[in-house]
């Protein structure tokens, strides 16, 4: 049901084209970029899954709130929402959502897209972890990693990354790898080699 509420919230914006009346206005540019991203997410399962994960990120949501609280952004949103084209899109979306069959189709489509996207994100994270593990066989890479880990700025950046909800994909990929005895052994050897570099 959260997907259908999400769809209701953004459906009008997904398909309402915005034309820049003053290309120099940052608020309008931000809105246009945001709308383009939403339009892409409506058709790209990976982008939709990432968007749904990003909505769980407190830092991103704080930035979005800050942008939405900006008086210039509010002014541009009000201007856009008063356009006939936007009102037509809202009406079409609301009419569609009143039809239980159409609403169910949209919800099913978005849920399917999100599952496909989450699966692809997981596959990508697993491939990245596999590649990283293979790179750890290279002594130069290990030395570079040890050097980076001694840098306090890099450690802070890494700590921030681990708080990002999308990082959970890599944690899950690592846990899956640990279920395979050969990969677990390979990882343990790489970990021991890395520790010896510190």
């Amino acid at each position: 049901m959260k997907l259908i509420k999400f769809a209701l919230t953004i459906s009008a914006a997904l398909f309402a084209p915005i034309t820049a009346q003053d290309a120099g206005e940052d608020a309008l540019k931000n809105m246009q970029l945001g709308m383009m991203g939403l339009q892409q997410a409506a058709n790209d399962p990976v982008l939709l899954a990432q968007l749904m994960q990003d909505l769980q990120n407190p830092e991103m949501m704080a930035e979005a709130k800050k942008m939405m609280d900006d008086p210039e952004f509010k002014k541009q949103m009000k201007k856009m929402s008063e356009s006939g084209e936007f009102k037509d899109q809202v009406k079409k979306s609301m009419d569609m959502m009143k039809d239980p069959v159409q609403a169910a189709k949209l919800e099913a489509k978005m849920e399917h897209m999100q599952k496909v996207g989450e699966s692809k994100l997981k596959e990508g994270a697993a491939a990245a972890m596999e590649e990283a593990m293979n790179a750890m066989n290279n002594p130069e890479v290990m030395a570079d990693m040890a050097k980076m880990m001694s840098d306090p700025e890099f450690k802070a950046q890494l700590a921030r990354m681990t708080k990002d909800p999308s990082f959970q994909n890599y944690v899950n990929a690592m846990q899956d790898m640990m279920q395979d005895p050969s990969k677990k052994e390979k990882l343990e050897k790489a970990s021991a080699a890395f520790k010896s570099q510190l």
Side-chain angles (χ1 to χ4, degrees):
M1 195 61 180
K2 77 176 184 177
L3 280 175
I4 200 69
K5 288 179 183 174
F6 174 71
L8 275 170
T9 305
I10 66 169
S11 60
L14 286 176
F15 305 106
I18 301 171
T19 56
Q21 294 178 4
D22 180 357
E25 295 181 29
D26 286 341
L28 185 58
K29 285 181 183 177
N30 287 339
M31 281 184 354
Q32 287 174 317
L33 288 173
M35 296 302 164
M36 286 172 32
L38 291 174
Q39 286 174 333
Q40 287 177 318
N43 297 305
D44 182 341
V46 174
L47 197 54
L48 177 64
Q50 186 63 57
L51 174 64
M52 296 305 284
Q53 286 181 1
D54 290 347
L55 290 173
Q56 304 302 313
N57 183 329
E59 287 180 24
M60 286 186 127
M61 295 312 295
E63 282 299 313
K65 183 178 180 343
K66 185 177 159 185
M67 182 183 74
M68 292 184 333
D69 288 342
D70 181 281
E72 187 60 29
F73 181 83
K74 286 181 179 182
K75 178 180 158 188
Q76 291 297 332
M77 282 301 291
K78 183 176 186 315
K79 189 175 178 180
M80 182 183 77
S81 68
E82 291 171 349
S83 76
E85 193 171 23
F86 184 82
K87 288 178 181 179
D88 288 345
Q89 290 297 327
V90 170
K91 184 179 180 330
K92 285 179 189 175
S93 297
M94 296 309 284
D95 289 345
M96 184 176 72
M97 298 315 291
K98 286 178 186 175
D99 178 351
V101 173
Q102 289 296 321
K105 282 181 181 178
L106 178 60
E107 183 173 7
K109 177 185 175 189
M110 291 190 68
E111 285 177 359
H112 174 72
M113 284 180 59
Q114 185 178 1
K115 285 180 183 175
V116 168
E118 286 171 352
S119 176
K120 288 184 178 188
L121 285 174
K122 184 177 179 180
E123 289 169 12
M129 294 307 294
E130 197 64 58
E131 188 177 328
M133 203 163 69
N134 290 335
M136 291 173 83
N137 291 325
N138 182 334
E140 290 176 19
V141 170
M142 291 294 278
D144 286 344
M145 286 175 56
K147 185 178 176 182
M148 287 190 318
M149 289 305 292
S150 66
D151 179 2
E153 190 175 313
F154 178 78
K155 283 184 181 178
Q157 181 181 6
L158 190 59
R160 285 190 303 273
M161 272 179 41
T162 60
K163 293 177 183 169
D164 185 327
S166 63
F167 189 78
Q168 189 62 40
N169 292 324
Y170 297 97
V171 172
N172 293 341
M174 184 62 70
Q175 288 172 342
D176 289 347
M177 289 174 80
M178 294 300 279
Q179 301 302 312
D180 179 332
S182 65
K183 289 180 182 176
K184 182 177 181 179
E185 181 183 348
K186 191 175 179 181
L187 184 62
E188 287 171 347
K189 285 181 183 177
S191 178
F194 179 69
K195 288 178 183 175
S196 72
Q197 295 278 329
L198 295 177

